[in-house]
Each structure stands twice: as structure tokens, then as C-alpha cells.
Amino acid sequence: MSGSTTPFFFIQLSDPQFGLFEVRGAAPGDGTFPETALYEEAIAAAKRLRPAFVVVTGDLVQDSDSDEQHAELTRITGQLDGDIPIYFTTGNCDVGNTPTAESLRIYRAKFGRDSYSFDAGGSHFVVLNSSVCLDPSEVPEEWDSLVEFLRRDLDVHSPDSTHTIVFMHHPLFGKSADEPDDGIAIIPRERRRIILDLLRKHETSGVFAGHWHRNNYAADGKMLMVVSGPVGFPLGDDPSGLRIVKVYDDRVEHEYFGMDDVPIRVDL
Ligand SMILES: [Fe+2]
């Protein structure tokens, strides 16, 4: 922990996932994406509210081979003012639940980094490729390098940061840190334990994920484990929307808003 910093906020978007409405039989069938209006609303909200940054926690598109879906994602992302950074996180639709050397190569060619970190407002933010954490059986060396990256990154940056916050697509857990494995829903215990050990050591304030297309809230001690509903197609009771996260010296506050209920401004 460092000295006092000015409060700020960021916006989490998850699962814009261009193409899922169509897969679910909920698209008009004329080649347009219902996701377009939703992602445009989310980007317009960011332009209005002016967060320190925007993060998109994975499942950027439904079909990672689709040029049309990527083109729409890129076109609308470009509507964001150049001075508001936007950070992308991989999802299972982007690189697979069992990523391969090829799926990672293609993602990196399009988006660059998949596990990386950045600083904002005196806090440190880490983006992890959670598919590598879910099932690295095809790319075991990627898991080794992810753990090494996380270990070194937190050792270097976390001690001087007010908060350390992690972004990943798959949640680490849904109820409690030691809950049993649950298929592709959460990170298996074998690797969850290794990540949690590092996050606990550095007193991580929160992990923000997506993947479930609905909200879910849990914690590990003081560390929040937040799952956010989708920008795109909902798979639960929560509407398409976005999460506003306020970062203060002594706490992190967050709230999910359906796209029709996003506030006019954010007060800190
Ligand atoms: Fe998704």
C-alpha cells in the first residue's frame, strides 16, 4: 500500500460476444448484430462518464474466425475517445476453453498481449488469460509462463500500489475459494490454489470476471470475486449492462447497471 491517492473509477464490460444472439436464434437474420446497439450504448456511456479506463473481460466475439464479428467490435471500439484507454481480456470464445498454440497465435496477432498489467491512479491492474488457467493441457508452457509472469509482476508492482486488481474471463470461484471443480464454469482447484496464493500474498483487492452472462458475488477474505453480466446476450435474470467500479484509498465499490439504467454521471 502506498500513500493517499485521488479516487477514480473504471468501467468493466464483459462478453460483448458479437454473434451469440444469432447462435441463440435471437438475431434478425439480415446480417446485422443485435450486439451492435448494446456495445454502442456501452461505449457511449464510457464517453459520457469518462472513466480512467475501460476493461472488456473476454468473449469479445462468438466466433474467433469471423472477420465480420471482429470488424464490428473494432469499429465500435474506435468510437471511444482516444484518451480513454481500453483493455481487452481473452475469453473462451476468443481462444477456446482449451487454448492451443494456434488459437493463442491468432488472438495475439489481432489483439497483442493476453496476460499483462498496467497502472492507473496509483493502483495496479493485472489481466490474465483465464483459458490458460482453465485447461492448459495443450499449452502447458503457457501456464508456466503465466504463473511466472504473475509472480514477478506482483512482486515488482503490488507493494507500491494502493490496490491490486485482477481481470480475467473465467471466475476463480463462484461461492468460496475452496469450492470443488465445476467444469468450465470456474478455474479448477489445482490451478486456482496457485493463483490465489499469489493474490493473497499481495493482498489483492478484487478479481473482476465475466463468462457467466449474469452477476455473481463472492469473496476470499477481503478480496472481492465479482462476476459481471454481459454487454451482449444475457443468460440469467440480469440485463445486458456494465459495471462501474470506484477505487478509493481504503475500499473498492462497484455496481452493475442495465444498459437502460446507466447513470448520467459518476460521483466519487
Ligand atoms: Fe461469453
Side-chain angles (χ1 to χ4, degrees):
M1 300 281 281
S2 64
S4 76
T5 51
T6 308
F8 66 97
F9 73 98
F10 64 87
I11 293 177
Q12 181 199 8
L13 310 177
S14 201
D15 299 81
Q17 210 162 328
F18 285 85
L20 181 56
F21 273 85
E22 187 179 354
V23 166
R24 296 273 166 169
D30 59 2
T32 62
F33 298 105
E35 289 89 353
T36 289
L38 292 164
Y39 191 47
E40 280 185 336
E41 277 188 79
I43 293 296
K47 290 181 69 161
R48 182 176 77 244
L49 298 172
R50 305 209 55 80
F53 63 87
V54 175
V55 61
V56 189
T57 47
D59 278 1
L60 309 172
V61 297
Q62 173 67 26
D63 175 2
S64 60
D65 290 333
S66 168
D67 290 339
E68 293 76 18
Q69 294 174 10
H70 277 115
E72 198 61 349
L73 175 84
T74 303
R75 181 183 71 79
I76 299 165
T77 301
Q79 295 170 2
L80 193 60
D81 296 3
D83 58 343
I84 301 175
I86 184 164
Y87 298 98
F88 290 115
T89 306
T90 56
N92 52 289
C93 290
D94 306 303
V95 296
N97 277 312
T98 304
T100 63
E102 181 66 357
S103 73
L104 294 174
R105 187 190 66 72
I106 291 169
Y107 180 87
R108 288 166 181 162
K110 283 198 175 86
F111 295 99
R113 309 165 295 178
D114 55 332
S115 289
Y116 59 97
S117 67
F118 59 93
D119 294 311
S123 287
H124 189 60
F125 300 88
V126 182
V127 171
L128 295 178
N129 181 336
S130 64
S131 291
V132 169
C133 309
L134 186 81
D135 180 6
S137 58
E138 296 281 328
V139 286
E141 70 286 357
E142 293 282 349
W143 166 248
D144 294 340
S145 55
L146 184 148
V147 172
E148 191 52 30
F149 157 72
L150 184 61
R151 188 189 315 278
R152 285 189 193 193
D153 185 79
L154 294 180
D155 275 346
V156 170
H157 298 286
S158 204
D160 294 328
S161 302
T162 307
H163 294 279
T164 298
I165 290 175
V166 172
F167 302 119
M168 56 200 297
H169 181 65
H170 301 78
L172 287 170
F173 55 88
K175 294 191 183 78
S176 62
D178 60 352
E179 74 186 90
D181 293 356
D182 186 10
I184 61 166
I186 54 175
I187 303 302
R189 248 193 308 208
E190 176 188 354
R191 286 175 295 281
R192 187 196 315 156
R193 178 179 50 76
I194 293 168
I195 295 171
L196 275 173
D197 280 350
L198 292 171
L199 300 190
R200 286 167 176 160
K201 177 183 171 193
H202 291 282
E203 298 177 353
T204 299
S205 300
V207 177
F208 290 83
H211 187 45
W212 292 9
H213 292 232
R214 65 177 175 82
N215 293 316
N216 189 76
Y217 306 101
D220 175 53
K222 289 183 179 170
M223 188 192 85
L224 306 168
M225 178 62 251
V226 176
V227 178
S228 291
V231 168
F233 191 80
L235 294 173
D237 293 335
D238 301 304
S240 304
L242 56 80
R243 184 173 300 281
I244 293 174
V245 184
K246 300 177 181 179
V247 182
Y248 300 91
D249 272 354
D250 60 343
R251 67 193 187 281
V252 173
E253 295 181 357
H254 59 92
E255 188 172 357
Y256 186 81
F257 298 92
M259 223 57 94
D260 295 336
D261 299 318
V262 177
I264 297 298
R265 55 169 220 201
V266 174
D267 294 318
L268 292 165

